Amino acid sequence: MSTITHRLRWLPNGLTIARLASLPVLLWWCAVADGPSLPLGIFFGVVAFTDLLDGRLAALLDARTPLGRVLDPLADRLLMVVGLVGLLMINRFAWPAVAIILLRDLAAMAGFAVLARKGVLLEIDFAGKVSSGFNMGCVAFGLAISSSWVDVCFWCAAGLSVLTFMNYAGIAAGRLRALKGTPPEVTSSRT
C-alpha cells in the first residue's frame, strides 16, 4: 500500500461524519423553506452522493473499519429520516407515502440491531442498495421541485421499500432458522 493511499484511509469515515454533520443543516433548511427549492434538493443530493462515494473509497483504499460499518448505515438511515421529515415540513407529499418509507427504515434499523445481538449479521444487498438509491433520488427531487412525475416516482419508492423490507425479512428468517439448527422448510414442485 502506498503512503498516499495509507494517508487517505480516514476519508471514507470522514465523509460519513460529514454526512452526519450535515443533517442539522438540512433539517433547519427544510424548516425555513417555503416549499420545494432547487438548492435544497441539490444539497440533499450531494449529501446522499457521499454515501456512494464513501463506500467506493473504503473499498478502494482498503479502509473498511468497525466504526464505518456502524456509522455508514446509521448516517444513511438518518439522512433518509431527515429528508422524509423535511418533505413533510415543506408540505411536499402527503404523509402516507412518507410514513411507509420512514416506518420501513425504522423497522429495518431496529431489526438489524436485534438480529446483530443474536449473532445474525445482515448486509445491504443489491436490491436494498437500489431501493435506497431510488428513495434518496426521489427525496432529492421532492425537495427540489413540485411535479406530478416526482409524485408517481415517490409512490413507486414507497412500494419498492415494502418489497425490499420483505426481502430482508425472508433472509433474516432463513438465517435465524439456520442459527437455531432447524432445517428450512422444504418445498416440492410437482410436474
Side-chain angles (χ1 to χ4, degrees), residues 12-69:
N13 283 345
L15 286 171
T16 300
I17 291 168
R19 189 160 63 253
L20 286 167
S22 72
L23 297 180
V25 174
L26 179 62
L27 193 59
W28 169 81
W29 197 340
C30 291
V32 300
D34 290 333
S37 78
L38 190 58
L40 176 58
I42 290 171
F43 180 75
F44 181 90
V46 168
V47 173
F49 181 72
T50 64
D51 174 37
L52 176 67
L53 189 58
D54 68 8
R56 296 287 182 240
L57 285 173
L60 181 69
L61 299 171
D62 192 28
R64 292 193 170 110
T65 64
L67 177 65
R69 285 186 186 97

Side-chain angles (χ1 to χ4, degrees), residues 7-173:
R7 287 185 182 171
L8 293 177
R9 293 183 79 201
W10 63 270
L11 195 53
N13 283 345
L15 286 171
T16 300
I17 291 168
R19 189 160 63 253
L20 286 167
S22 72
L23 297 180
V25 174
L26 179 62
L27 193 59
W28 169 81
W29 197 340
C30 291
V32 300
D34 290 333
S37 78
L38 190 58
L40 176 58
I42 290 171
F43 180 75
F44 181 90
V46 168
V47 173
F49 181 72
T50 64
D51 174 37
L52 176 67
L53 189 58
D54 68 8
R56 296 287 182 240
L57 285 173
L60 181 69
L61 299 171
D62 192 28
R64 292 193 170 110
T65 64
L67 177 65
R69 285 186 186 97
V70 172
L71 282 186
D72 182 54
L74 176 66
D76 299 345
R77 296 305 95 205
L78 289 176
L79 175 62
M80 279 302 295
V81 168
V82 170
L84 291 166
V85 168
L87 290 170
L88 292 175
M89 292 170 78
I90 65 170
N91 296 314
R92 178 60 185 90
F93 291 114
W95 69 268
V98 172
I100 290 168
I101 297 172
L102 188 59
L103 289 173
R104 189 285 308 244
D105 282 353
L106 294 174
M109 284 191 315
F112 275 47
V114 168
L115 290 168
R117 285 187 174 176
K118 293 182 178 200
V120 177
L121 298 178
L122 290 179
E123 299 268 334
I124 306 299
D125 63 6
F126 181 74
K129 289 178 183 181
V130 168
S131 176
S132 289
F134 188 67
N135 289 354
M136 284 185 183
C138 288
V139 170
F141 278 110
L143 291 170
I145 59 175
S146 183
S147 176
S148 59
W149 70 266
V150 176
D151 298 353
V152 170
C153 287
F154 196 79
W155 276 103
C156 289
L160 190 57
S161 292
V162 172
L163 291 175
T164 55
F165 182 78
M166 291 168 49
N167 176 51
Y168 285 129
I171 292 169

